[in-house]
Amino acid sequence: MTPDTAAAQAARSVTINIVAVDMAFDTDTITVPAGAEVTINLDNQDDSVPHNVSFYTDSSAARAIFIGDLITGPDKVTQTFTAPAEPGTYFFQCDVHPFMSGAFIVE
Ligand SMILES: [Cu+2]
């Protein structure tokens, strides 16, 4: 494997850590490379409250990119999905609490 190939493969996978606490995410922006394999670690710290992280093409949440598993806090879950190949600004939210949302930026 050439160094260039290794670098290209490294850029194709990214890990995102996101915390849900006090009915909010700890970030309002998730940025990943186009086409990347995205590993998302959700840390739900809200006792007895279900949260997930789901990704949609836009804030209408009509077309899903990836629907995250719901977990009831305190709990953690790790999931993997493939980011869109097309760069752009997409959307993420907790499906139970859509006010917990942000920009999913693919670049
Ligand atoms: Cu929630």
Side-chain angles (χ1 to χ4, degrees):
M1 183 183 295
T2 67
D4 283 352
T5 304
Q9 291 189 346
R12 289 180 175 277
S13 84
V14 61
T15 298
I16 302 294
N17 298 309
I18 186 165
V19 177
V21 62
D22 295 337
M23 303 300 289
F25 289 127
D26 66 343
T27 183
D28 58 10
T29 305
I30 294 173
T31 302
V32 304
E37 180 179 285
V38 180
T39 297
I40 182 139
N41 296 317
L42 170 62
D43 179 359
N44 178 358
Q45 298 182 359
D46 282 341
D47 280 344
S48 304
V49 179
H51 294 302
N52 72 351
V53 187
S54 293
F55 297 82
Y56 296 92
T57 55
D58 60 45
S59 61
S60 71
R63 292 178 54 206
I65 297 166
F66 175 77
I67 304 290
D69 285 348
L70 276 172
I71 57 168
T72 299
D75 200 359
K76 299 178 181 180
V77 67
T78 297
Q79 297 178 275
T80 301
F81 69 99
T82 302
E86 185 76 18
T89 299
Y90 301 85
F91 180 75
F92 73 90
Q93 71 175 17
C94 170
D95 290 318
V96 183
H97 311 102
F99 55 86
M100 297 171 63
S101 67
F104 177 43
I105 298 170
V106 175
E107 58 185 20

